[in-house]
Amino acid sequence: MVRATRRNQTALALDPSHDADDLSALRPRPSPGGQSGTAAMTSETKHLHVITWGCQMNVYDSGRMADVLAPLGYAPTELPEGADMVILNTCHIRDRAAEKVFSELGRLRVLKQAREAQGHKMVIAVAGCVAQAEGAEILARAPYVDIVLGPQTYHRLPEMVARASRAAGAVIDTDFPAEQKFDFLPDAAAPQGVTAFLTIQEGCDKFCSFCVVPYTRGAEASRPAADILAEARRMVAQGAREITLLGQNVNAWHGDGARGLGDLVRRLADIDGLIRIRYTTSHPRDMDDDLIAAHAEVPALMPFLHLPVQSGSDRILAAMNRKHTADDYRALIARLRVARPDMALSSDFIVGHPGETERDFESTMQLIRDIGFAQAFSFKYSPRPGTPAAGAGLQVPEEEKDRRIYALQALLREQQTAFNAQCAGLIIPVLVTGPGRHEGQIGGRSPWLQPVHAIGPVSLTGTVVEMKVTAAHTNSLTATLEQERACA
Ligand code: SAH
Ligand code: SF4
Ligand code: F3S
């Protein structure tokens, strides 16, 4: 079984690298929906170990890197020991996320030396956003790295592997090529489960003051609708029942000229067998009327939206270059709730952006109280080299950030617990994703992305089943089967 190992990987937001200060422990963790390579296991088989940090786009990309290497005889392996090639797919979003790469490289160096002592090679490749941002530094700090490749060059990986095995020095490719990698990557192999990720858009032109993404992923680019629909159909034919559309600014998708994400969602909803559609991560500015209308009109579009707001203070939102106010956000949520009354919200928050005063922070707390979130991600501001906020004055002291994040997370945790508690006693449609953790149990997802556990047969996998919620926990629900629903 080919699978990209996920480290520190969490569910829905675009920045799930594990900082001690985030709420990752509270988040649901869907199955990875990673893609499978197709290398047959023969004596020629080479072993590929992939470690993935960061957002779901990285999870998706890791699958595609495994796919592109499969024809060269690489079959993924769960452990780095004995691997012929190790890929670290990295995240640069915050300092701690980037530092993890260097500690992992230190461990791999020992394994590589041990393998070389036995007469074997271990190719080490660093991919992803740290590679893009710090390619030269990686080679300076870890000269035993063989390949450094940025997120837009994965289709060139086979050629880089060939060059790395010939050349003495390292191969580095952090271009933003004119060609789109998706046009050159092979078709994704089978998704492994009922839920799958599908990248439809990459990059960002918004340049929020704090964020590295526009620099590491490049300009906003959308895939054509026909390619997305074809890939979705393939995923459904291979067993996927829920597809999450991915993009750094997924609702900025414009792959078909004037028509936007609302139109794409409607066309996806026509695919037989595709029961549920989600999308992440959205920007409030790109939430257009048609997409809001799609929430009212398309039952397959799930009533759960991750819509990062970052702050509830207009002063800080302006400093962040977000180009919306706190009241714009409140009004948007109100419209979404009219379109879909059972809509549940998730968001991202940053505390301690340069210049954030106690009063600004209180405005964020007030926004949270006003909206009521089903779950959320929150981070202490981390200065990123080259971004405007990093050089700004009025940096907030670390102890102050700690104090604010503690209070903010306590409020969010309270809201998440209350949201789950509201589900107790309800009968809800659950998409069964496979066996549960315990004997006789099955696991699934609620429409609001809560993990649900119940006693039931695994044969229900891939179907939507009515379940009665018997207990609500902070991170999940326990339920009993009511009746099987006709679906797909
Ligand atoms: N495209 C999405 C978010 C991408 S990054 C959006 O526009 O909202 C995911 C999250 O990481 C962000 O929403 C933000 O909350 C957080 N983040 C990004 N840069 C950060 C930084 N320098 N310090 C702390 N958190 C950061
Ligand atoms: Fe980063 Fe802002 Fe772009 Fe989101 S919209 S990826 S936070 S620059
Ligand atoms: Fe991290 Fe790059 Fe995603 S910085 S959050 S892996 S876009």
Side-chain angles (χ1 to χ4, degrees):
M1 182 69 80
V2 175
R3 168 179 289 210
T5 303
R6 299 196 307 164
R7 291 271 172 93
N8 303 321
Q9 171 63 46
T10 55
L12 200 72
L14 267 176
D15 181 13
S17 70
H18 262 206
D19 284 355
D21 51 74
D22 72 18
L23 278 180
S24 52
L26 297 181
R27 297 175 200 166
R29 290 161 187 255
S31 61
Q35 323 299 312
S36 304
T38 50
M41 282 285 189
T42 68
S43 55
E44 297 291 302
T45 300
K46 289 174 266 189
H47 297 284
L48 169 68
H49 180 68
V50 185
I51 303 175
T52 309
W53 289 275
C55 59
Q56 283 92 340
M57 315 242 344
N58 265 12
V59 178
Y60 179 86
D61 283 346
S62 288
R64 305 312 302 280
M65 284 192 267
D67 293 341
V68 87
L69 289 172
L72 275 67
Y74 283 94
T77 171
E78 294 288 328
L79 293 171
E81 289 83 4
D84 300 280
M85 178 161 179
V86 177
I87 300 178
L88 304 186
N89 195 5
T90 63
C91 175
H92 198 246
I93 202 81
R94 286 180 303 275
D95 195 36
R96 254 182 275 178
E99 270 310 309
K100 283 174 189 149
V101 179
F102 289 101
S103 55
E104 189 68 42
L105 280 172
R107 270 193 289 276
L108 286 177
R109 175 192 203 167
V110 177
L111 292 181
K112 182 175 171 126
Q113 282 167 345
R115 216 169 138 69
E116 273 168 5
Q118 293 165 352
H120 300 294
K121 202 168 157 59
M122 177 195 269
V123 175
I124 300 180
V126 182
C129 293
V130 178
Q132 187 66 45
E134 298 183 11
E137 192 187 337
I138 290 169
L139 293 179
R141 279 176 71 176
Y144 45 90
V145 167
D146 302 283
I147 298 174
V148 172
L149 73 167
Q152 301 309 326
T153 63
Y154 297 153
H155 55 296
R156 297 176 177 171
L157 192 50
E159 177 198 324
M160 288 183 232
V161 173
R163 273 166 55 204
S165 44
R166 284 196 306 266
V171 177
I172 177 159
D173 191 344
T174 50
D175 273 7
F176 286 110
E179 77 269 11
Q180 266 205 39
K181 69 178 173 193
F182 294 113
D183 295 340
F184 291 85
L185 284 168
D187 288 348
Q192 291 179 341
V194 170
T195 60
F197 292 135
L198 202 175
T199 295
I200 65 166
Q201 178 278 342
E202 270 209 280
C204 180
D205 296 334
K206 295 207 165 53
F207 292 93
C208 298
S209 61
F210 50 82
C211 184
V212 291
V213 171
Y215 310 96
T216 60
R217 293 275 169 167
E220 205 274 315
S222 297
R223 293 177 70 190
D227 293 5
I228 295 165
L229 290 163
E231 188 163 342
R233 279 192 206 99
R234 264 196 314 273
M235 287 175 161
V236 171
Q238 289 158 343
R241 293 290 169 264
E242 173 178 301
I243 291 183
T244 302
L245 306 174
L246 297 180
Q248 265 95 21
N249 273 284
V250 72
N251 56 345
W253 180 84
H254 59 274
D256 256 6
R259 293 192 291 185
L261 187 59
D263 186 68
L264 181 66
V265 163
R266 287 185 180 86
R267 283 193 277 169
L268 284 162
D270 285 340
I271 297 177
D272 251 6
L274 180 58
I275 310 171
R276 291 183 167 186
I277 302 169
R278 304 178 187 274
Y279 59 92
T280 195
T281 290
S282 300
H283 194 291
R285 276 166 62 201
D286 294 316
M287 214 64 221
D288 66 21
D289 294 349
D290 187 51
L291 184 53
I292 296 175
H295 277 283
E297 293 158 16
V298 182
L301 189 54
M302 289 293 98
F304 177 89
L305 187 60
H306 180 70
L307 192 62
V309 64
Q310 314 298 354
S311 169
S313 152
D314 289 346
R315 236 173 48 81
I316 295 301
L317 287 169
M320 285 176 164
N321 194 31
R322 292 290 291 183
K323 299 204 168 73
H324 61 79
T325 63
D327 278 350
D328 292 340
Y329 188 81
R330 287 185 179 89
L332 183 55
I333 300 301
R335 289 178 64 207
L336 281 160
R337 283 178 166 157
V338 168
R340 185 83 205 225
D342 60 344
M343 178 71 85
L345 276 307
S346 160
S347 196
D348 289 346
F349 297 92
I350 294 180
V351 303
H353 183 276
E356 186 188 77
T357 62
E358 186 58 32
R359 202 159 155 206
D360 295 316
F361 174 65
E362 184 42 46
S363 303
T364 302
M365 295 291 274
Q366 190 53 48
L367 180 81
I368 296 173
R369 286 182 210 109
D370 292 348
I371 304 280
F373 290 94
Q375 65 142 75
F377 303 75
S378 50
F379 313 100
K380 289 192 289 182
Y381 169 71
S382 164
R384 308 307 296 128
T387 57
L394 299 172
Q395 297 287 336
V396 176
E398 213 45 41
E399 317 79 70
E400 191 51 38
K401 288 187 203 167
D402 283 339
R403 198 188 59 72
R404 290 180 193 170
I405 195 102
Y406 186 81
L408 182 125
Q409 291 190 344
L411 177 58
L412 289 170
R413 196 172 297 116
E414 209 176 277
Q415 292 193 342
Q416 175 162 343
T417 307
F419 177 77
N420 287 352
Q422 278 172 29
C423 297
L426 296 183
I427 294 173
I428 59 169
V430 176
L431 174 62
V432 180
T433 50
R437 224 175 283 158
H438 304 293
E439 186 75 28
Q441 234 187 20
I442 50 174
R445 285 179 180 185
S446 79
W448 309 283
L449 211 58
Q450 297 140 299
V452 184
H453 304 286
I455 301 294
V458 195
S459 57
L460 292 175
T461 301
T463 65
V464 172
V465 177
E466 297 283 309
M467 293 192 192
K468 180 165 187 172
V469 179
T470 52
H473 319 285
T474 315
N475 303 314
S476 65
L477 304 174
T478 305
T480 50
L481 300 193
E482 283 287 301
Q483 60 173 84
E484 203 171 328
R485 219 204 204 186
C487 63

